[in-house]
Amino acid sequence: MGHSSASASIQLVSLIILLGILSLETIKFGFCSDDHNVRCIDIERKALLKLKQGLTDPFDRLSSWVGEDCCKWSGVGCNNITGRVNMLDLRNRYLDGLDGYGSIKHAFGGEINPSLLVLKDLDYLDLSMNYFEGVQLPSFIGSLEKLKYLNLSRAYFVGVIPPTLGNLSRLLYLDLSNFLFPNPIETDLQWLATLSSLKYLNLEGVDLTKATPYWLPTVNMLPSLVELHLPLCGLSILPLTLPSINFTSLLVLDLSDNDFKSTIPPWLFNLTELQMLDLAYNSLTGKLPDSLGYLKSLRYLILAANSLSGIIPECLGELSSLVSLDISYNTWEGTITEAHFSKLGGLREVSIANDPPNISLVFNISSDWIPPFKLRYLDIRSCQLGPKFPTWLRNQTELTTVVLNNARISDTIPDWFCQLDLQFDFLNVAHNQLSGRVPNSLRFSYDSSVDLTSNRFEGPLPLWSSNITWLYLRDNLFSGPIPHNIGQVMPNLTRLDISRNSLSGSIPLSIGN
Ligand SMILES: *[C@@H]1O[C@H](CO)[C@@H](O)[C@H](O)[C@H]1NC(C)=O
Ligand SMILES: *[C@@H]1O[C@H](CO)[C@@H](O)[C@H](O)[C@H]1NC(C)=O
Ligand SMILES: *[C@@H]1O[C@H](CO)[C@@H](O)[C@H](O)[C@H]1NC(C)=O
Ligand SMILES: *[C@@H]1O[C@H](CO)[C@@H](O)[C@H](O)[C@H]1NC(C)=O
Ligand SMILES: *[C@@H]1O[C@H](CO)[C@@H](O)[C@H](O)[C@H]1NC(C)=O
Ligand SMILES: *[C@@H]1O[C@H](CO)[C@@H](O)[C@H](O)[C@H]1NC(C)=O
Ligand SMILES: *[C@@H]1O[C@H](CO)[C@@H](O)[C@H](O)[C@H]1NC(C)=O
Ligand SMILES: *[C@@H]1O[C@H](CO)[C@@H](O)[C@H](O)[C@H]1NC(C)=O
Ligand SMILES: *[C@@H]1O[C@H](CO)[C@@H](O)[C@H](O)[C@H]1NC(C)=O
Ligand SMILES: *[C@@H]1O[C@H](CO)[C@@H](O)[C@H](O)[C@H]1NC(C)=O
């Protein structure tokens, strides 16, 4: 379950990146197609045709690559004065479901012909989301010395990142993210230090174990860095000290899914411009220091699934830009009070969970507190919220996910909670002492899940909405027959657990639907 909250956060982070913390406007390219006087240069046209010959193109995406004026071909951009090709955008925009990869049916494959080197003014190259399975990342790319933007994300290149990339000293954006399990691309990272203009670096899923001792000093050679993404890189050392910090303009730092075992290094809190910080899925230990309060620009704080412990400092409430907080699956203790949220007016998502069954984190919040935020996503597990149903949810009219799991609540579901008229995609109040009848009026959105497991709910089995696909009612005091029309009312149910109740009668035929 921890994965679901973390991945939700990660999706949000990606969304923000899409929305463009970094503007690509700094890269300028013109299309000759707008200017009928400038035509492409013949040797460049021939070079592009050679490139086309080397590629497999099952969906015929390059069908426009005919005729004299290559500046009009799709994905090709030219300088509008010289007519030279300066942009090649061959990204596969056909996606394959939700896994974040391009659809193979539409992807280019085959070989990248070195004829590419004829395009001397190329400053933008995007081959992302294609399928060059088994092809070594060509080292001649390092000779395209005018490149400012290079994107080979999820293009299935294999082997070692060619050290010649170190020649691309004008690069601003480098995206080599490519998660190939179990044989990731690898690199010793030595080539990186010369890319001193780099603003954006993404090496997600690239094996950096060879660079373990010096990856951080190397990255610290990049004074213009604004975004650094190194998740899933097999890194195990996060140095606690740095002599001085070069990358002070860093806005986005993603070091999730590595193997860091140390405490959170103090230099991180000098990066006061930082907007998310993602250290989830490591093995970080120790406490969250008070210097957390320095990171006033933080929008995303994601520390899920580590071994952090101790109390959660009140300075959390100073992070007034925070949108998403995920500190789940650590071993916190102490209390959470109003002060922890005092200035968090923009907060939309909260995940706080301890590793069960040890409930050592207690919410001590007064019953008349009105939070400054309106949450969309609330996921609290194995913390003491009860014994009363949390009254500070009274004004939370925008919630779609509510998880109050194993939270020591001994109460009924209050009327005001139903009157909020929320539409849930996930409602989980399992493992409490909730009693009484469950309200009939709850509303659910398409493909939603409900988990009321292990409470003391009574009365007839609730049948809510046709939109519910998972319904867990196990271990309660529900009684009476299973409604005969359950299969008609909830035709899309794929999981149903009603065991350990006081039900009687027979299993209705409509379950067969
Ligand atoms: C040529 O490109 C430059 C830079 O991209 C742009 O500012 C200018 O408007 C373009 N001129 C024409 C005629 O398209
Ligand atoms: C690179 O391409 C991927 C996939 O097409 C895209 O999601 C990502 O934003 C691109 N990276 C940059 C820095 O533009
Ligand atoms: C490019 O990089 C390689 C390896 O780092 C180096 O041997 C070569 O001389 C460089 N070429 C240029 C043109 O700088
Ligand atoms: C900071 O970056 C500059 C330029 O890349 C480099 O010369 C210097 O050594 C870097 N400082 C540190 C402490 O790494
Ligand atoms: C971080 O900031 C503190 C206080 O401003 C300063 O003393 C320290 O040298 C800085 N650390 C680094 C690594 O820059
Ligand atoms: C529960 O957590 C508290 C505080 O962290 C700790 O002292 C105690 O040993 C833990 N108990 C178990 C059974 O893990
Ligand atoms: C909860 O907070 C109130 C008021 O701030 C305080 O008096 C009380 O001792 C706290 N209870 C616990 C268990 O911390
Ligand atoms: C909060 O909700 C209560 C009753 O549900 C309402 O009277 C009050 O005006 C609300 N306050 C805010 C700040 O929305
Ligand atoms: C099902 O979900 C959709 C969209 O999520 C919503 O518009 C619709 O009202 C829901 N239907 C019911 C019966 O709750
Ligand atoms: C039930 O599922 C089908 C296909 O999975 C979908 O088309 C339909 O909209 C769903 N209906 C509801 C009420 O969720």
Side-chain angles (χ1 to χ4, degrees):
M1 297 252 189
H3 284 271
S4 66
S5 60
S7 73
S9 312
I10 288 163
Q11 279 169 19
L12 238 141
V13 171
S14 325
L15 182 69
I16 280 291
I17 291 162
L18 280 176
L19 290 178
I21 287 170
L22 281 180
S23 151
L24 293 182
E25 280 165 28
T26 36
I27 296 180
K28 295 224 162 78
F29 41 81
F31 294 86
C32 288
S33 41
D34 296 331
D35 185 338
H36 295 282
N37 301 319
V38 186
R39 282 174 184 256
C40 92
I41 292 165
D42 201 47
I43 55 163
E44 297 204 339
R45 187 181 58 87
K46 290 188 174 130
L48 286 169
L49 287 176
K50 262 200 187 144
L51 180 72
K52 179 181 174 177
Q53 270 166 24
L55 297 175
T56 56
D57 180 11
F59 201 65
D60 213 7
R61 285 165 52 206
L62 296 184
S63 58
S64 70
W65 284 32
V66 290
E68 289 301 308
D69 192 358
C70 69
C71 295
K72 287 185 174 148
W73 297 356
S74 81
V76 179
C78 295
N79 179 298
N80 59 14
I81 296 160
T82 64
R84 285 185 167 272
V85 174
N86 58 9
M87 180 185 82
L88 258 189
D89 176 358
L90 301 182
R91 178 185 297 196
N92 174 12
R93 290 185 164 75
Y94 299 89
L95 301 185
D96 190 17
L98 292 172
D99 69 357
Y101 281 80
S103 140
I104 293 176
K105 215 167 60 191
H106 301 89
F108 296 130
E111 60 145 11
I112 311 284
N113 194 294
S115 68
L116 202 57
L117 298 181
V118 170
L119 310 175
K120 293 231 175 326
D121 283 358
L122 199 65
D123 66 18
Y124 187 108
L125 179 59
D126 187 345
L127 298 173
S128 63
M129 309 292 255
N130 286 297
Y131 195 64
F132 296 100
E133 198 203 11
V135 177
Q136 168 74 41
L137 230 161
S139 66
F140 63 75
I141 285 189
S143 303
L144 292 167
E145 52 186 41
K146 294 218 172 135
L147 279 187
K148 291 181 184 160
Y149 180 98
L150 177 58
N151 195 342
L152 305 178
S153 171
R154 301 188 176 217
Y156 287 90
F157 287 109
V158 296
V160 176
I161 294 179
T164 53
L165 289 197
N167 294 343
L168 299 177
S169 57
R170 301 184 197 188
L171 264 191
L172 303 177
Y173 300 85
L174 178 58
D175 193 339
L176 301 177
S177 54
N178 204 347
F179 186 56
L180 295 178
F181 185 79
N183 295 311
I185 4 178
E186 51 176 327
T187 176
D188 61 13
L189 219 53
Q190 303 269 15
W191 49 271
L192 187 65
T194 48
L195 304 189
S196 54
S197 311
L198 214 55
K199 293 165 94 174
Y200 177 103
L201 177 63
N202 192 338
L203 299 178
E204 174 175 11
V206 174
D207 181 354
L208 297 184
T209 47
K210 288 209 175 82
T212 294
Y214 54 82
W215 72 270
L216 186 63
T218 306
V219 170
N220 199 29
M221 302 294 276
L222 309 176
S224 311
L225 213 54
V226 176
E227 283 200 33
L228 177 62
H229 300 262
L230 299 177
L232 284 160
C233 291
L235 292 168
S236 54
I237 296 179
L238 184 56
L240 290 181
T241 57
L242 265 185
S244 68
I245 302 180
N246 254 344
F247 47 73
T248 48
S249 14
L250 212 58
L251 297 185
V252 177
L253 178 59
D254 180 358
L255 299 174
S256 61
D257 274 295
N258 281 291
D259 201 17
F260 300 128
K261 294 188 182 64
S262 60
T263 56
I264 299 182
W267 54 261
L268 253 176
F269 303 101
N270 286 40
L271 300 174
T272 51
E273 307 281 310
L274 217 53
Q275 297 186 356
M276 139 273 166
L277 173 61
D278 190 349
L279 298 172
Y281 295 96
N282 280 288
S283 303
L284 293 165
T285 57
K287 298 181 193 313
L288 257 186
D290 282 332
S291 41
L292 178 67
Y294 297 150
L295 303 184
K296 292 249 189 305
S297 310
L298 268 194
R299 292 166 54 77
Y300 295 83
L301 177 58
I302 301 164
L303 303 172
N306 279 287
S307 301
L308 297 167
S309 60
I311 63 161
I312 297 170
E314 275 187 14
C315 63
L316 181 70
E318 300 290 315
L319 306 181
S320 53
S321 310
L322 213 56
V323 174
S324 184
L325 171 70
D326 187 351
I327 53 171
S328 52
Y329 301 102
N330 285 284
T331 47
W332 307 114
E333 61 186 49
T335 50
I336 292 222
T337 64
E338 286 105 322
H340 286 94
F341 300 105
S342 58
K343 295 186 183 155
L344 309 191
L347 200 60
R348 299 283 285 155
E349 312 196 28
V350 176
S351 298
I352 303 177
N354 257 19
D355 282 327
N358 193 353
I359 297 187
S360 46
L361 185 65
V362 178
F363 280 70
N364 183 5
I365 284 177
S366 84
S367 61
D368 52 10
W369 182 55
I370 296 176
F373 48 71
K374 290 247 193 230
L375 298 180
R376 191 186 64 76
Y377 183 100
L378 175 65
D379 187 335
I380 297 180
R381 296 169 199 244
S382 301
C383 302
Q384 179 168 336
L385 273 172
K388 283 193 68 183
F389 196 91
T391 48
W392 51 271
L393 295 184
R394 255 178 338 207
N395 292 65
Q396 298 300 306
T397 49
E398 289 167 20
L399 284 167
T400 58
T401 294
V402 174
V403 180
L404 308 172
N405 182 301
N406 190 24
R408 294 200 175 150
I409 303 173
S410 313
D411 201 350
T412 55
I413 293 189
D415 286 343
W416 57 256
F417 188 67
C418 307
Q419 283 154 15
L420 289 174
D421 200 29
L422 303 172
Q423 188 170 46
F424 298 100
D425 53 36
F426 188 33
L427 175 64
N428 173 346
V429 293
H431 302 289
N432 286 291
Q433 296 280 317
L434 285 160
S435 58
R437 293 189 169 221
V438 289
N440 285 323
S441 58
L442 300 180
R443 295 190 307 128
F444 296 89
S445 51
Y446 177 66
D447 201 12
S448 50
S449 307
V450 186
D451 190 349
L452 308 183
T453 300
S454 295
N455 279 285
R456 310 184 60 75
F457 287 117
E458 59 190 44
L461 274 188
L463 290 190
W464 285 291
S465 159
S466 52
N467 278 341
I468 294 176
T469 52
W470 294 2
L471 181 58
Y472 299 99
L473 302 173
R474 178 190 162 84
D475 192 17
N476 275 286
L477 303 172
F478 291 114
S479 57
I482 304 172
H484 67 91
N485 58 346
I486 184 165
Q488 278 100 41
V489 179
M490 299 198 272
N492 281 10
L493 216 50
T494 58
R495 299 191 187 182
L496 173 68
D497 188 348
I498 51 176
S499 61
R500 301 192 55 184
N501 280 288
S502 305
L503 301 169
S504 55
S506 55
I507 296 178
L509 282 176
S510 75
I511 288 227
N513 296 348

